[in-house]
Amino acid sequence: MKDFINKLYKNHSLIYKVLLFITTTFFIVYLFPKSGTFKYSFEKGKPWQSENLYAPFDFAIKKSEEELKEEQNTIRENALVFFDVDTVIVSNVKRNYSLGFNAMFNDSIQESEKVYLFPKGISVISDIYKTGVLFEDYDYDNDKLVTILNDRTQRGTTKFSNFISQNDIRPLLDQKIKYYGLDTYNQEFLALFFDVIKPNAVLNKSITNNSLEEDLSKISLVRGSIERETLIISKGEVVEGNKFNVLKSLESEYESQVWSEANYNWVLAAYTLLVALALLMLLLFLRKYRLDVFENNTKVTFIFFNILLMVLLTTLVVNFNSAYTYIVPLCILPLVLKAFFDARLGLFTHVITVLLLGFVVSNNYEYMFLQIIAGIVTILTVSELYKRANLFISVGQITLIYIVAYFAFFVIHEGSIDNLKWDTFVLFILCGLATLFVQPLIYAYEKLFGLVSDVSLLELSDTNAKLLKELSNKAPGTFHHSLNVANLAEAAANEIGANAMLVRVGALYHDIGKMKNPTYFTENQSTGINPHDELSSRESAQIIINHTIHGIEIAKKYNLPDRVIDFIRTHHGTSVVYYFYNKESQLEGKEVDKADFMYPGPKPFSKETAILMMCDSVEAASKSLKEPTSTKINAFVENIINKQIENEQFLNANITFKEIQSIKKVLKLKLANIYHLRIEYPE
């Protein structure tokens, strides 16, 4: 049991990666759409590339969306509408008319004339209420067929034009008054009718909507069927018209059958296998080419988290509306990974993520092509992300590539630009704007995962930073030395394409450990008194060696990133403090153990840390040059760096001899400029 626990402890990092791998795989598969995938790829207007296709089973031919919409519109146009007509209101109107008539013509006219006029008015009212007076205006055609309801009982049908709207009452009254010979008392009858006439017809929305829904529900979603083994399409035949509809129906039916039968688990297992293979390729890439990232569980978690985040965002958008797929700022992924790691890892991870998203989106070939091209452009164009102008320019270029590539795909599919979807271009612009969110996202990731980006490095390179100000106050000579080394290292890094910002920051902080005992280092001895004179060679060597350990302690106290601490740890590698080693050997009359005078290491393990070791040694030793000339400087630089190579200090760094030669060239030129030397021409 104890041995088993020890094995678990020793392999806890690997176990964590396995658990992370399994968890991420299952979570991504869970996010995938719960539908099968048709094994044939086809496009409208293009030739059928596969062999002759026969129906694998009986299936119905589904109507296209256009056909269904056309049927729905026809039903809506011809659907019955139901109006409630209240006959009680008509009776009340006639009664009120009688009362109003008697009041108006009580003594003003003779009884015989009353008997003549009264029924004429009743006839006007009957004509107006023949069908009904509407409470409000409705947007129906005059020929629209209307069903009349009285107490929710159907009383007949009529045309909508037979109803009287309130706007039509005045002209109709004028017409009827004249028709029935009432124009002698025109104003009196108009006033009377306007007082008594009330609307009595209103749309019954409930019954009308229910009737429409019932008619719409009767629409058949299919038109005909295809029997098993029927030839659907031949190889080379153009996919268009009815052939396209049949293929779409087969695709839909195939996906439906795959997931509704017992082989659901098989399809799910196949998805899991493919996702696991994609993520495994990423882990193998890290294991082979980015071992430092692979061994850091935080960094591996960070990469997997970003992949999962992009799959989640895309899935949510596709589930909401697949037309908005391109609004997801997928190029944030390579931007973020390039900011924290490097371009190659960023692009590889981006491609893996796009391959996974091919299972989620429709028209996956177009989507994958656009996203991979955009990712490549992102990697190629974005440099020095901490410069805001660079980010804006790169986002503009990414958006332009999206638009150009989509335009080309659209023309290929449709053969013209007549039906170009301009709203998709708006989605690309919104995607570009969303990509600008990468800056605050990087800041959040730094705090969440403890990583460091070029933006943080830029802040650390400020010489007014608290730790650098403390260094300039306690060890001014060391501070000046660090500035010189930073300038040399930055120039060398630019020459060979290394991370200039990282190596500059590393150079500024590499000697902060000297603040512990500043006067024990030559550059800080301004009084001419050397405290080493009172110490043994071993004690002096130990103080010199310990400045790397003290530097690591101070760096951790001030929460400097691990990438910066690496420079403090490695800038002397496993080199020997030769001055005190030789002094002790001469004193004892024999060679002493070098281990007592050797830095603990480790040796530089990257281009940047190797550059710092070279520049630090050259800058420090250059102070001892007397009457420097170009020849002396060249020999001096060659001697120091060649000695480091002989001592295998760069064995773990991924730096080539060609790059080392380039660094030597830069150092020679810079030192010549520092000492104001001109090139010595041969006599």
Side-chain angles (χ1 to χ4, degrees):
M1 184 66 181
K2 189 175 180 180
D3 292 340
F4 177 72
I5 293 173
N6 287 336
K7 284 183 179 179
L8 285 179
Y9 180 77
K10 288 179 181 177
N11 297 298
H12 72 280
S13 179
L14 182 61
I15 293 170
Y16 174 82
K17 288 183 183 67
V18 171
L19 291 175
L20 178 67
F21 172 79
I22 294 171
T23 305
T24 307
T25 299
F26 281 111
F27 199 85
I28 290 174
V29 172
Y30 173 76
L31 292 174
F32 277 177
K34 299 299 182 287
S35 61
T37 303
F38 191 48
K39 61 182 176 180
Y40 299 102
S41 178
F42 62 93
E43 294 179 25
K44 190 175 183 179
K46 298 294 180 64
W48 179 257
Q49 300 294 335
S50 305
E51 296 298 324
N52 294 354
L53 178 62
Y54 295 88
F57 42 74
D58 296 342
F59 66 94
I61 304 173
K62 295 185 177 181
K63 294 178 182 176
S64 65
E65 288 186 14
E66 291 76 14
E67 289 175 311
L68 290 173
K69 284 181 180 177
E70 187 177 345
E71 286 190 35
Q72 289 169 357
N73 291 335
T74 302
I75 287 175
R76 287 191 178 97
E77 288 172 5
N78 299 322
L80 285 173
V81 291
F82 295 81
F83 275 82
D84 287 318
V85 177
D86 193 344
T87 55
V88 175
I89 290 177
V90 179
S91 300
N92 291 337
V93 168
K94 289 181 178 179
R95 185 173 64 253
N96 292 335
Y97 164 75
S98 177
L99 295 172
F101 181 86
N102 291 329
M104 180 172 288
F105 298 105
N106 187 23
D107 299 322
S108 57
I109 61 174
Q110 295 180 1
E111 191 66 29
S112 60
E113 194 170 5
K114 284 183 184 180
V115 173
Y116 172 77
L117 293 176
F118 181 79
K120 299 286 185 182
I122 292 293
S123 297
V124 171
I125 292 173
S126 297
D127 286 351
I128 289 175
Y129 283 102
K130 184 177 181 180
T131 303
V133 178
L134 296 172
F135 271 88
E136 57 183 288
D137 292 333
Y138 298 96
D139 188 22
Y140 291 119
D141 293 334
N142 287 333
D143 293 332
K144 182 74 174 177
L145 202 61
V146 174
T147 300
I148 296 174
L149 302 174
N150 189 350
D151 292 332
R152 302 184 72 84
T153 303
Q154 187 172 333
R155 298 299 182 188
T157 57
T158 186
K159 290 184 178 181
F160 180 73
S161 58
N162 291 330
F163 283 104
I164 308 300
S165 71
Q166 296 192 35
N167 293 330
D168 295 333
I169 291 176
R170 174 59 189 265
L172 186 60
L173 283 174
D174 289 339
Q175 179 187 341
K176 293 296 180 180
I177 287 171
K178 187 175 181 180
Y179 177 78
Y180 285 106
L182 302 174
D183 42 346
T184 306
Y185 300 100
N186 183 64
Q187 295 301 320
E188 289 83 351
F189 274 104
L190 277 177
L192 178 57
F193 287 141
F194 271 117
D195 282 343
V196 300
I197 290 176
K198 306 292 181 186
N200 73 325
V202 64
L203 176 69
N204 190 317
K205 293 182 179 179
S206 175
I207 295 178
T208 300
N209 290 338
N210 289 340
S211 174
L212 177 61
E213 290 300 322
E214 185 179 351
D215 290 343
L216 290 174
S217 66
K218 292 177 182 177
I219 295 176
S220 174
L221 299 178
V222 300
R223 50 173 182 81
S225 62
I226 300 290
E227 294 183 358
R228 185 178 179 181
E229 299 300 328
T230 302
L231 176 64
I232 296 175
I233 192 168
S234 303
K235 184 176 182 180
E237 193 174 349
V238 176
V239 180
E240 58 185 357
N242 188 54
K243 296 286 184 184
F244 179 75
N245 293 334
V246 172
L247 285 170
K248 292 299 288 185
S249 299
L250 176 60
E251 180 181 37
S252 175
E253 189 69 23
Y254 181 86
E255 292 172 353
S256 165
Q257 286 198 8
V258 165
W259 286 85
S260 60
E261 296 176 357
N263 54 3
Y264 172 90
N265 292 332
W266 281 105
V267 177
L268 203 62
Y271 263 147
T272 305
L273 183 62
L274 289 174
V275 174
L277 281 174
L279 295 179
L280 182 62
M281 293 306 104
L282 178 58
L283 284 175
L284 291 176
F285 173 85
L286 295 176
R287 178 70 179 81
K288 186 171 180 63
Y289 298 107
R290 298 293 183 272
L291 188 59
D292 57 322
V293 176
F294 180 80
E295 291 176 346
N296 188 318
N297 283 342
T298 301
K299 292 179 179 178
V300 176
T301 305
F302 173 73
I303 294 169
F304 275 54
F305 173 79
N306 276 278
I307 294 173
L308 198 56
L309 180 63
M310 288 302 159
V311 175
L312 176 62
L313 283 176
T314 306
T315 305
L316 290 175
V317 170
V318 168
N319 289 341
F320 175 73
N321 190 337
S322 60
Y324 297 151
T325 304
Y326 288 113
I327 205 171
V328 180
L330 203 63
C331 287
I332 280 183
L333 181 62
L335 276 174
V336 167
L337 295 181
K338 185 180 179 182
F340 288 113
F341 305 112
D342 60 84
R344 191 175 176 188
L345 175 56
L347 182 59
F348 191 89
T349 307
H350 178 71
V351 171
I352 292 291
T353 307
V354 172
L355 290 176
L356 292 174
L357 291 176
F359 294 112
V360 177
V361 300
S362 57
N363 202 2
N364 47 20
Y365 177 76
E366 175 190 303
Y367 177 85
M368 291 165 66
F369 184 90
L370 260 65
Q371 296 294 3
I372 290 174
I373 289 294
I376 293 171
V377 171
T378 303
I379 292 297
L380 294 178
T381 58
V382 176
S383 59
E384 299 177 326
L385 191 61
Y386 54 87
K387 294 181 179 177
R388 288 171 294 181
N390 286 6
L391 180 60
F392 277 97
I393 293 169
S394 296
V395 166
Q397 292 171 330
I398 294 165
T399 306
L400 180 63
I401 289 298
Y402 270 130
I403 291 173
V404 170
Y406 174 78
F407 176 80
F409 264 104
F410 187 88
V411 173
I412 291 171
H413 289 165
E414 301 295 328
S416 69
I417 60 171
D418 296 337
N419 300 318
L420 194 61
K421 298 177 182 177
W422 296 102
D423 52 344
T424 308
F425 294 157
V426 176
L427 295 181
F428 290 135
I429 294 171
L430 291 175
C431 175
L433 294 175
T435 306
L436 296 174
F437 185 69
V438 69
Q439 286 284 21
L441 187 64
I442 286 173
Y443 177 79
Y445 279 152
E446 286 179 336
K447 301 304 178 186
L448 190 61
F449 290 93
L451 301 172
V452 58
S453 68
D454 285 351
V455 180
S456 293
L457 292 176
L458 183 64
E459 294 172 358
L460 290 171
S461 67
D462 183 6
T463 53
N464 288 316
K466 185 178 179 181
L467 185 54
L468 290 179
K469 285 193 74 95
E470 186 179 345
L471 177 64
S472 67
N473 291 330
K474 290 185 177 179
T478 300
F479 178 71
H480 185 259
H481 159 72
S482 297
L483 286 176
N484 289 339
V485 173
N487 292 332
L488 291 174
E490 184 177 21
N494 283 325
E495 182 68 21
I496 67 168
N499 190 332
M501 180 60 70
L502 177 62
V503 78
R504 179 175 181 81
V505 172
L508 288 173
Y509 290 91
H510 79 283
D511 269 344
I512 55 174
K514 291 182 179 179
M515 287 193 294
K516 191 88 170 179
N517 298 297
T519 56
Y520 284 87
F521 299 90
T522 311
E523 65 267 25
N524 300 313
Q525 295 171 356
S526 56
T527 59
I529 300 172
N530 190 345
H532 287 290
D533 294 340
E534 300 176 3
L535 300 174
S536 69
S537 298
R538 291 181 184 274
E539 290 173 332
S540 294
Q542 204 56 45
I543 290 173
I544 300 296
I545 290 168
N546 283 344
H547 87 272
T548 58
I549 298 169
H550 294 149
I552 294 169
E553 293 171 355
I554 294 170
K556 288 183 177 178
K557 179 183 175 183
Y558 280 84
N559 294 318
L560 290 186
D562 288 339
R563 290 174 76 186
V564 177
I565 295 175
D566 287 340
F567 287 91
I568 301 172
R569 189 181 285 115
T570 62
H571 74 278
H572 284 294
T574 55
S575 59
V576 175
V577 185
Y578 276 102
Y579 177 82
F580 292 111
Y581 169 73
N582 291 333
K583 187 177 178 182
E584 185 67 16
S585 296
Q586 290 172 6
L587 189 65
E588 295 191 14
K590 62 178 181 179
E591 286 194 6
V592 294
D593 187 5
K594 281 188 178 181
D596 296 335
F597 297 85
M598 186 180 291
Y599 283 96
K603 295 175 182 178
F605 47 77
S606 67
K607 286 182 183 180
E608 289 77 15
T609 50
I611 288 170
L612 178 62
M613 172 179 268
M614 293 182 232
C615 295
D616 180 44
S617 301
V618 167
E619 202 286 331
S622 68
K623 298 292 188 292
S624 63
L625 280 175
K626 296 176 182 178
E627 299 180 2
T629 63
S630 294
T631 306
K632 281 185 179 180
I633 288 174
N634 291 349
F636 165 79
V637 171
E638 290 284 346
N639 181 49
I640 289 177
I641 295 179
N642 287 343
K643 192 170 184 180
Q644 290 174 337
I645 295 172
E646 288 172 13
N647 292 333
E648 299 183 341
Q649 294 300 320
F650 307 131
L651 202 61
N652 298 332
N654 57 335
I655 192 166
T656 65
F657 283 114
K658 183 180 179 180
E659 289 169 335
I660 291 174
Q661 287 301 118
S662 298
I663 293 169
K664 286 180 182 178
K665 183 180 177 182
V666 171
L667 293 177
K668 291 170 186 177
L669 181 62
K670 287 289 182 182
L671 288 178
N673 290 337
I674 290 170
Y675 290 106
H676 307 292
L677 298 178
R678 298 186 64 178
I679 298 172
E680 293 181 359
Y681 295 98
E683 296 178 359

